Amino acid sequence: MPEEISIQKREMKERIRKIAEEIKDLHAESLEDIEALRIKYLSKKGEVSMLFNEFREVPNDLKKEVGQMLNKLKNETQEAISELKEKFEELNLSNDKLDLTRSAEPIELGTRHPLSIVKNEIVEIFSRLGFVVAEGPEIEDDWHVFSALNFPPEHPARDMQDTFFIARNPDVLLRTHTSSVQTRTMTSQKPPIRVLCPGRVYRNEAISYRAHCFFHQVEGLYIDKNVSFADLKQALLYFAKEMFGEETQIRLRPSYFPFTEPSAEMDISCNLCGGKGCPFCKGTGWVEILGCGMVDPNVLESCGIDSKEYTGYAFGMGVERITNLKFQVKDLRMFSENDIRFLNQFKSAY
Ligand code: DAH
């Protein structure tokens, strides 16, 4: 009996070792080959499974050792076969099964976002008047957004209600308008300055079809000797006609901004009804599109520009507003929802 056991044990261990050696070096040319290997070792009558069947006859005191060897062998065999499968599948993808004569899937070309289309058009129009693009950070400090622009300390725009502050620090905030880029340009360049500043701005507004907590503006700034309100009006009339058509008219209404004096708001004749009056312009024939004015001497001085030598004009418009006028998008939220069905409708040269 002891002799028999020892033979059985040796024989079992040797068979396990032999198979363990074999599976270190498996080859297959096809998925069928791999399946054949799986059957050879792991199917019900496969070599590894057979060893498990015989395991029943292994005497109790050897069961632990042989059992461990068997389990290890089974795991290694399964791993070897699935590795082979993975390798084969990878190879197969890059191999001769590829039909290079098949026609390609049509690639859908993306379109520019409507806000980008309109922003690019605004930039393009003003570049013909000599304006160049200037940019500034979206995370700003109080001075560049408010103080340098002549906002009094108690101005409501500085309130938590309107402005997003960052990290509970009242000096770090998200810019509420691109007029902050005026400040940055005036403190870093000498006149003549003629810049256009497109960018995203943030305000603490409840999101609805007509308001959002972020939107886009384009700011314009021109500073030189003898710049007058007439120059401002001329530039804006040119812009309105280029953007909305030759027949477009403008009108300027007195207004107030801390950083301009005098200040105005500009309306254009309603481009939907041609000024006759319709629901879009609420029957008035006019729609407001921007704010503007002569740069307040206080602003020039706080940015280090001599207000006795230089004057300038500035204007700021909302890109969403202009886009709505051009494309009649009724719900502002469409601009940030990334719905392909919406975005696909805008094609442009810009
Ligand atoms: N910053 C103003 C706003 O966000 C827009 C504006 C008005 C900009 C008049 C200007 C300006 O440069 O002159 O509402």
Side-chain angles (χ1 to χ4, degrees):
M1 194 70 167
E3 213 172 297
E4 221 178 282
I5 290 171
S6 114
I7 289 170
Q8 201 173 11
K9 179 183 167 191
R10 220 183 306 128
E11 200 234 10
M12 192 80 161
K13 281 169 101 175
E14 231 148 70
R15 278 163 65 201
I16 294 174
R17 259 189 229 112
K18 192 176 147 268
I19 299 178
E21 271 314 301
E22 275 176 33
I23 59 155
K24 277 190 193 146
D25 199 23
L26 293 181
H27 292 287
E29 297 286 318
S30 65
L31 277 177
E32 288 78 33
D33 287 357
I34 297 172
E35 179 59 10
L37 286 171
R38 192 193 64 78
I39 291 170
K40 176 166 189 254
Y41 293 109
L42 296 171
S43 68
K44 245 190 190 159
K45 294 223 160 108
E47 290 178 26
V48 176
S49 313
M50 290 308 277
L51 286 172
F52 270 92
N53 288 346
E54 290 168 36
F55 181 70
R56 254 181 281 135
E57 283 141 37
V58 174
N60 282 348
D61 57 338
L62 296 177
K63 272 208 155 81
K64 189 172 172 208
E65 188 192 357
V66 178
Q68 280 173 350
M69 286 178 80
L70 264 180
N71 279 332
K72 189 161 170 260
L73 178 70
K74 189 179 170 194
N75 288 340
E76 284 173 359
T77 314
Q78 280 169 341
E79 258 168 49
I81 288 180
S82 42
E83 237 172 65
L84 213 56
K85 223 179 202 167
E86 268 167 38
K87 254 195 226 154
F88 184 82
E89 275 162 2
E90 262 171 41
L91 210 69
N92 205 29
L93 276 182
S94 57
N95 224 335
D96 54 6
K97 292 257 161 99
L98 283 183
D99 178 2
L100 298 179
T101 62
R102 246 181 83 173
S103 53
E105 297 286 334
I107 298 170
E108 259 200 69
L109 273 188
T111 55
R112 255 189 230 293
H113 192 282
L115 293 178
S116 295
I117 294 174
V118 169
K119 179 204 74 183
N120 291 348
E121 196 171 345
I122 297 169
V123 168
E124 215 277 323
I125 293 170
F126 280 103
S127 75
R128 286 180 233 146
L129 298 178
F131 285 79
V132 293
V133 168
E135 280 174 339
E138 293 180 8
I139 300 174
E140 265 291 7
D141 53 48
D142 178 279
W143 192 78
H144 286 92
V145 178
F146 298 126
S147 298
L149 292 167
N150 206 30
F151 279 78
E154 70 284 1
H155 195 282
R158 292 170 171 237
D159 201 315
M160 289 290 270
Q161 238 92 61
D162 297 298
T163 304
F164 287 115
F165 291 89
I166 293 178
R168 289 201 214 112
N169 181 345
D171 197 36
V172 185
L173 45 92
L174 295 178
R175 66 181 178 195
T176 55
H177 55 179
T178 42
S179 304
S180 55
V181 189
Q182 278 193 30
T183 320
R184 294 210 167 256
T185 311
M186 284 191 276
T187 48
S188 64
Q189 295 179 26
K190 287 195 173 8
I193 291 172
R194 204 176 340 214
V195 288
L196 205 65
C197 322
R200 181 174 286 178
V201 300
Y202 301 83
R203 286 184 201 173
N204 192 1
E205 303 256 5
I207 296 171
S208 74
Y209 76 97
R210 41 187 240 131
H212 212 294
C213 58
F214 64 80
F215 52 98
H216 301 79
Q217 291 186 330
V218 176
E219 183 87 9
L221 175 72
Y222 176 36
I223 297 174
D224 203 346
K225 291 177 179 158
N226 301 321
V227 177
S228 73
F229 202 94
D231 297 324
L232 170 63
K233 199 174 165 189
Q234 190 56 48
L236 293 179
L237 178 63
Y238 175 74
F239 165 70
K241 286 181 180 293
E242 290 295 299
M243 191 74 186
F244 296 104
E246 184 53 36
E247 64 297 338
T248 309
Q249 293 180 329
I250 64 168
R251 74 174 183 189
L252 290 160
R253 287 178 287 103
S255 184
Y256 172 77
F257 300 102
F259 36 90
T260 43
E261 182 58 37
S263 305
E265 276 169 311
M266 184 175 101
D267 299 338
I268 58 163
S269 50
C270 178
N271 66 326
L272 287 190
C273 62
K276 284 194 220 59
C278 69
F280 189 76
C281 57
K282 301 195 184 78
T284 63
W286 296 96
V287 284
E288 186 201 318
I289 65 160
L290 55 82
C292 60
M294 299 305 291
V295 180
D296 193 301
N298 285 345
V299 173
L300 293 174
E301 293 294 335
S302 58
C303 294
I305 292 174
D306 186 352
S307 63
K308 292 198 190 64
E309 198 179 351
Y310 293 103
T311 52
Y313 66 67
F315 56 86
M317 65 185 96
V319 181
E320 278 80 354
R321 175 95 184 128
I322 309 279
T323 310
N324 282 349
L325 279 170
K326 270 199 98 90
F327 298 120
Q328 282 92 52
V329 178
K330 299 248 159 51
D331 188 336
L332 212 60
R333 291 169 294 196
M334 298 298 288
F335 290 129
S336 49
E337 279 172 356
N338 278 343
D339 186 331
I340 297 246
R341 293 165 303 176
F342 170 71
L343 298 173
N344 256 341
Q345 299 173 49
F346 302 91
K347 311 258 179 286
S348 136
Y350 292 104

